[in-house]
Structures are given as C-alpha cells and as structure tokens.
Amino acid sequence: MSDQSSFSTRAIRQQMERTQYREHSTPLFLTSSFTFPTAEQMADTFAGNAEGIIYSRYNNPSVDEFIQKMCSLEGAEAGFATASGMSAVFSSLMALVRSGDHILATRAVFGSTHQILTSLMPRWGVSHTYVEPDQQDQWASAVQENTRILLLETPSNPGLALVDLEAAGKFAREHGLILMVDNCFATPYLQRPLELGAHLIMHSATKWIDGQGRSLGGMILGDQALMDEIVFFCRHTGPALSPFNAWLMSKSLETLAVRMEAHCKSALQLAEWLQKQDGISAVSYPFLSSHPQHELARKQMKLGGGIVTCTLAGGADAAMQLVNRLQVCSRSSNLGDTRTIVTHPTSTTHSKLTEEERLAVGISPGLLRISVGLEGIEDIIGDFAQALAPQ
Ligand SMILES: *Cc1c(COP(=O)(O)O)cnc(C)c1O
C-alpha cells in the first residue's frame, strides 16, 4: 500500500504482516516477552545487530501496528505509544527538558498538563510562562535565554481557543524552540500539526481515537532525532501502552474518518440549534461563523471537531439544572465517545482552579462542554429541548 493512498485506506489496510494462519483481522500479541532460537541470536538482538523483539516495555507487534498507522496518518517519522494521554505529555516533556530550562505554553492547556507545569516541573527546576493562544504578537517578549519548548493545544479543552499552527511553527523555528502540540481534540483526520511546522505531537488516544469510551491510551509522534531521545526515556521509565489497548485502538483507527465526519456534522447541527435557544447566552464551535477564530479554523482544520460549548445565561445553577434534566445524554467527564456526554467544567474537571484562572481560559460558571456522540442528532436536540423547556 502506497503512502499516497487515502487517509481511510491507510487507516484500514496498513496492518502487520500476517502470521502462518493468514488471519484477516489483525491478531493480538498479549505477551510480555519474546523468545530466541539461539543464545547467539539473542545476544545479537540485545546488541542491536539483529532484528527481533525483546520485551513489551520496548515494543510489541500489536503496539507497533498502532504506532505505524498513527505515523502514517500524522505524517510522522517515528512514534511511541503510552498508557494514557498524560503519560504522553509527561514523558515527552521529561525526556527533553533539563534542570534550568523554561517552557513557553499557551494558557489554555489541559488540566493535568497545567498541573505538570505548575506543581511538578518546578521540583526539577523547570519553569514556565503562559502566553495567550490568540495573541501571537506578544509571545516573543516571553521567550527567555533558557526557553526550550513551546507547548500548545488547539482547539483547547474546554474553551475551544485556537492557535495558528503555521505561525507557531515559524515562531518556534525563529526562536530555536521545540514545538509540541497536543492534537487530541482534532485527531489526524481534522488537523496535522507536523505538516504545519510542529516537531512533536501528543495524543490522548482515550478520546476520539478509541472513540468508544473503552480504554486509556496515548501517543507521542514526530521528528526522528527527538523521538530517539523520547523512546530512550520511555523504554527505561515504562509508560508503555498495553498490547490489548493498542489492538483496540488500531482497530478503532479503521473507522476514525467516518466517525469524525459524523461527530462533526452532528456537532455543527447542535451548535446551530443551541444558538437559537432562550436561556443560552453563548455557543462556541470552531466552524460557527460566530467563533472569533472561525477563519483560522477553516484554514487549518478539515471540520470543526466533536466538541461544542454553550453558556447558560443563568450561570452555574442553571447549568447544573440543565445537566440534571438531561435524559439521553450522559453526565460524565470523558469525551470523544459514541455517546453524547455533557460536562459542567466549573463544578467538576476545573473545580480545583480559582475562579480567576477559569475565566482566563474561557470557563464561565454557566459553561457546559458537550462531546457530541453518534446517536441520532434529533434525539440529542430533543433531549436538550426538553431540558431547556420551562417546567
Ligand atoms: C484527556 C486529555 C488529555 C489526557 O489524556 P488521558 O488519556 O486522560 O491521560 C490530554 N490532553 C487533552 C486535550 C485531553 O482532552
């Protein structure tokens, strides 16, 4: 299969070599280690002079298939699969920073990424500065002599703030920084940061990549030289993804394109409907013309993604009341599932932040995050309609 094949063909047809059984669907290699025919071949493999798989903390055929597919879909030279999205973020940062380094990050990063930057990295003498995602003209003043990494997320969770990836890539090159992008919300189907100048990307495969709310997983992908350092770090510190989860995720990639098309179509429909409802003061979705970065969204994303946010005019109480009244949608904190999930960030995922910190990343008390699933959208709209109706 050629590199020029379409996205879905690569996601479906790229597969590990068949075993002697000529199985059609890809097999699962649930084994922690591998054997060698002779002591000499084992020695050669350990010395790096012969092909062979040693141990599943290093690599595993089921995990390798998932990595190779993701490399092909993201246009990456190399990758490493991790047990969760956060282990991808943490391992890639820890593999590259040294004590005394400084990280530049856009303010709207994932909650646990914020904890790594603010609570953990200072233990090892690594500092950070937040910059505003949509004010790139001000980033240069935050660059220090010891700045090594530019870390960003677009669209952000849950504020749906976008960063101009092409401009960020240019900025990183001008200032000699490693550009790392959390591409979780977009997936490679909607946005490919490596093609726009990023050096590394991270994924929480738990979300749209698995797409069915079954298991945790993560991935780090990017330039070979940086990945060599990261793979060394990961092999010896042990965040490896389980072969079982990799097997699930690799199968999930086969339907990523059709799923994302459907999630995005329904999300746009729901966003347009929500905009017209009384009691809702704001709706945010990258492909709505009312989104402040709508043009940028159209430029760097194929579709708007599966997340919509809306703000209840009545604040936190009205938001929680709406959540309580929903009968079809799930009250949960995950996203990227076949099932529509509604989350109230102020009282749950972002409750540890101060009010001021929440407002700075666009989380007002009445904000709800909706991860639009694959149910019939008329049923989801109907659910919101009955929950919003005066009772
Ligand atoms: C969920 C999420 C993560 C963390 O992923 P886990 O798989 O839960 O560890 C990181 N970044 C973003 C944008 C996320 O939504």
Side-chain angles (χ1 to χ4, degrees):
M1 197 200 37
S2 88
D3 286 350
Q4 270 70 53
S5 306
S6 77
F7 186 94
S8 281
T9 305
R10 280 176 284 141
I12 292 167
R13 286 285 166 182
Q14 189 160 320
Q15 180 172 353
M16 73 174 76
E17 215 176 301
R18 294 204 163 90
T19 71
Q20 72 271 31
Y21 299 113
R22 307 289 306 150
E23 67 284 345
H24 190 202
S25 183
T26 205
L28 165 59
F29 285 86
L30 205 51
T31 176
S32 43
S33 65
F34 297 82
T35 59
F36 297 87
T38 65
E40 288 73 20
Q41 283 187 33
M42 191 167 174
D44 280 348
T45 304
F46 270 75
N49 300 327
E51 292 271 319
I53 302 189
I54 296 172
Y55 190 54
S56 290
R57 170 152 49 78
Y58 279 42
N59 49 358
N60 171 287
S62 299
V63 178
D64 288 347
E65 181 185 281
F66 179 39
I67 294 172
Q68 279 160 23
K69 270 194 200 179
M70 284 296 290
C71 283
S72 164
L73 301 180
E74 287 281 12
E77 290 174 354
F80 191 88
T82 56
S84 69
M86 284 326 300
S87 61
V89 174
F90 183 66
S91 299
S92 49
L93 287 174
M94 282 307 272
L96 297 175
V97 292
R98 304 290 180 268
S99 179
D101 282 350
H102 173 253
I103 297 169
L104 205 61
T106 50
R107 186 177 304 284
V109 288
F110 185 68
S112 293
T113 305
H114 171 75
Q115 291 300 340
I116 289 175
L117 291 175
T118 55
S119 304
L120 297 174
M121 282 294 173
R123 294 181 187 177
W124 302 293
V126 177
S127 58
H128 76 281
T129 303
Y130 280 135
V131 291
E132 304 311 322
D134 53 354
Q135 294 169 23
Q136 266 165 0
D137 49 330
Q138 288 166 27
W139 291 5
S141 60
V143 176
Q144 306 176 5
E145 215 165 90
N146 56 344
T147 308
R148 188 161 156 76
I149 287 171
L150 171 59
L151 174 67
L152 60 90
E153 195 179 302
T154 180
S156 69
N157 179 4
L160 299 177
L162 267 56
V163 180
D164 186 332
L165 286 169
E166 206 175 343
K170 203 163 150 265
F171 181 91
R173 280 192 300 282
E174 274 167 19
H175 293 88
L177 310 179
I178 300 167
L179 174 57
M180 295 173 57
V181 177
D182 183 333
N183 203 32
C184 170
F185 263 38
T187 80
Y189 185 64
L190 304 182
Q191 166 178 288
R192 284 184 287 282
L194 295 172
E195 290 174 0
L196 298 172
H199 301 99
L200 290 168
I201 57 175
M202 296 91 69
H203 271 290
S204 167
T206 314
K207 314 291 171 56
W208 305 103
I209 289 177
D210 173 58
Q212 287 145 89
R214 300 171 300 187
S215 59
L216 301 188
M219 180 79 70
I220 313 164
L221 297 148
D223 295 356
Q224 187 70 55
L226 292 169
M227 281 311 304
D228 285 348
E229 279 192 63
I230 292 169
V231 169
F232 174 82
F233 181 88
C234 290
R235 285 184 165 184
H236 298 294
T237 57
L241 180 64
S242 131
F244 181 77
N245 289 0
W247 175 81
L248 285 177
M249 304 278 184
S250 185
K251 292 301 287 179
S252 285
L253 285 178
E254 298 187 17
T255 56
L256 182 67
V258 288
R259 284 187 287 110
M260 291 316 292
E261 287 281 345
H263 283 294
C264 295
K265 185 169 172 238
S266 290
L268 181 60
Q269 255 178 282
L270 179 66
E272 284 171 343
W273 181 85
L274 284 168
Q275 267 190 322
K276 296 184 212 127
Q277 306 310 308
D278 290 339
I280 292 190
S281 55
V283 177
S284 180
Y285 184 67
F287 267 39
L288 277 184
S289 52
S290 57
H291 190 287
Q293 294 164 297
H294 176 238
E295 258 174 57
L296 174 62
R298 296 257 172 193
K299 190 179 103 183
Q300 69 185 21
M301 296 174 73
K302 186 181 171 77
L303 294 165
I307 303 289
V308 175
T309 68
C310 66
T311 308
L312 276 288
D317 288 347
M320 289 176 79
Q321 189 179 59
L322 176 71
V323 170
N324 275 331
R325 286 180 179 170
L326 291 166
Q327 292 169 4
V328 179
C329 301
S330 307
R331 286 172 283 275
S332 179
S333 62
N334 195 23
L335 60 94
D337 199 313
T338 53
R339 299 164 190 210
T340 299
I341 294 171
V342 180
T343 315
H344 179 229
T346 296
S347 62
T348 60
T349 51
H350 291 71
S351 57
K352 303 280 183 319
L353 269 63
T354 64
E355 172 102 28
E356 199 182 11
E357 285 173 327
R358 278 196 294 268
L359 290 174
V361 292
I363 304 173
S364 60
L367 183 93
L368 290 179
R369 184 186 72 191
I370 307 162
S371 171
V372 182
L374 298 177
E375 305 97 333
I377 191 60
E378 62 283 2
D379 297 322
I380 298 306
I381 289 176
D383 198 20
F384 274 91
Q386 65 78 24
L388 281 165
Q391 341 210 320

